[in-house]
Each structure stands twice: as C-alpha cells, then as structure tokens.
Amino acid sequence: MSDDPAQPRESLRDRLTDGLYGLGWSAVKKLPEPVARTLFRTIADQVWKRRGKSVLRLESNLARVVPGASPARLAELSKAGMRSYMRYWMESFRLPTWSPARIKASIDVTDAHRLTDGLDAGRGVILALPHLANWDLAGAWVTTDLKVPFTTVAERLKPETLYDRFVAYREGLGMEVLPHSGGAAFGTLARRLRAGGLVCLVADRDLSASGVEVTFFGDTARMPAGPALLAQQTGALLLPVTLSYGDTPVMKARIHPPVEEPESGDRTERTSSMTQALADAFAVGIADHPEDWHMLQRLWLADLEPREDRT
C-alpha cells in the first residue's frame, strides 16, 4: 500500500467521477426528454450560481470574444454558456439511443457539398472544429446520414476507466478513436487520409504545449499544428467547421471554405499560415454564437504564462 495520503483520496475521486459518468449514460437516456432537458438546465443554473472556477474562466474567455461587454452581459452569456454546455452532456448521454432519422432531424448542415465533393474525389478530408455546441452529434451525422466512417483523437482522461467509457461511446457512434498521447496517432491519421478517408479533429486548444501561436480575438493563443501538418503531408482537404445551437432544437453546422496550403514559405511558415486560417474561421463561428463555445479552460498565452505585473 502507498504511504501517500493523497493517493486514496485521488482514487476515491476517480471512482466517483467514473461512476457519475456511468450513471449518466445508463440513466439519463431512460428519462423522458422533457424531464432530461429540465434536469440539465437546472444543473446548469445551479453550477452557474456557484460562480466556481469553470464559470469564472468561461466569463474571462467570453470577455475576449465580446470586448466591451458589461459585467451583466458577461454574466448573461456565461449563464447561457453553461446551459449550452449541459445541453451537450444531456444529448451525449442520450445520443447512443437516437435513430439515424432522429440524428438527421437534429442537425442542419450548410455547404455539406464541400465535404462530400472532397470524399467523392477520392481525396482525404480533414474536418477541424472548435469546442462549439455538440461535435459528437456532428460526428454521428457523418457516420449515420452520410454513412462515412472517420477517425478522431481523444485526450486521455483520468481515471482510465472514464477514458474507456468515452472511447466506447464514440466507437458506438461509428468513429475510430485514437489516444492523443503515445505518438502513434499522427501516422495512423496520415494513413487514413492517404487512403481517401475522413479525419475529424477538435482543434481550438493545444494539448501538447508545442502548438502554433495564432492571433485569436486580438491576442495570442496556441492551437494544434496537427490539422495543417496532416494536410501538407497527405494532400488532404482541410475544412473548418463551426456549430451552434441557437434558440431551436436543431443544431446548425457550417462547413467553411477549404484552408489552402500556401505556395511559398518553409514548412513552419506554411503550418503557421494554415493554422491561423483555421483560427480565423473558428473566430467567425464563435463570435456569432459565443454562448455555445464550451471553453472552460485557459486558452490565451497571457492567461497561461506569468506576467511581470502579477504579484
């Protein structure tokens, strides 16, 4: 046994976390939908009222997205943001029980031809998304309505059993899921793309600390280089995608024009230019629907790095 008193507490917390998610997937899908919606909206409002770290971080991030917003406006946006975030979880817990017809009816996709034309041409396609609305629902639409399998990457979570739950959940929706850590994901993604396949990546937050610096809502943030590097190495089409809930039960999706590889510059410069183009497309979707951006973590470098004026 370990002599570290923190280890039992951490193990208990991990088991509790895993158990709560397990309860969500087993119980929430059995509730009548109006009951589930009311329950998760109530949870969102209670979490928002507590003004915990996640809510305060969300408001801080939204302050950059909506410059000049009053404290009252930011509070209004963060409350709507928590409701949007909890809607994502409510839908995710219920999504495995949805029929293909229900999935199709729950999403309205603009410019889907950009995706289908690329796939029909035998060219690999990369869809890059920010943490907007419900990216799992968008993925389920691809696998059920378009009947196109795709490969994605998932961050390793603690405890390992929770990560396994997420992998099983997404694989049940028709996705191939690779772990973010371990170094083998990039090669597998490249092989899928060279074979004319589809890769979907959530790409507005760098998990490696070695991403590309971009200008995002007027300040410097770091985003993953993977989508741009994969496009360069495989010739795949790189398409930004943004999502929003709005005020209807139907989620909106927009497939933006492709990010082209620059004709000049070295690999680093081309990667920087393409990642900035992704960031610009993401910013359009986030600015249109800031309440649907589920960014409850630090993102901008000024928030990550210590400043000289801080004590």
Side-chain angles (χ1 to χ4, degrees), residues 77-143:
L77 279 173
S78 68
K79 184 175 185 178
M82 292 309 299
R83 288 181 172 184
S84 174
Y85 185 51
M86 286 300 158
R87 175 176 169 179
Y88 161 77
W89 281 112
M90 188 274 295
E91 290 180 347
S92 294
F93 288 142
R94 298 173 67 86
L95 197 52
T97 68
W98 285 11
S99 67
R102 171 67 190 276
I103 291 170
K104 182 178 181 178
S106 298
I107 183 170
D108 179 22
V109 183
T110 300
D111 292 326
H113 68 89
R114 289 177 171 142
L115 167 59
T116 55
D117 288 352
L119 293 171
D120 290 345
R123 185 178 181 182
V125 177
I126 305 163
L127 297 181
L129 308 87
H131 286 80
L132 273 169
N134 191 339
W135 46 96
D136 287 329
L137 173 56
W141 171 78
V142 169
T143 60

Side-chain angles (χ1 to χ4, degrees), residues 53-69:
K53 290 182 179 180
S54 295
V55 173
L56 295 178
R57 174 49 50 193
L58 177 61
E59 281 189 13
S60 177
N61 290 338
L62 289 171
R64 295 178 183 269
V65 174
V66 189

Side-chain angles (χ1 to χ4, degrees), residues 5-22:
Q7 188 174 20
R9 290 197 299 270
E10 182 175 343
S11 177
L12 177 61
R13 184 168 59 246
D14 287 349
R15 291 198 301 271
L16 179 60
T17 300
D18 180 58
L20 287 173
Y21 279 98

Side-chain angles (χ1 to χ4, degrees), residues 208-240:
S208 67
S210 59
V212 177
E213 291 189 5
V214 296
T215 300
F216 195 54
F217 290 103
D219 208 343
T220 304
R222 190 181 289 122
M223 293 188 181
L229 289 172
L230 283 167
Q232 292 176 63
Q233 291 196 16
T234 66
L237 194 67
L238 177 55
L239 297 172

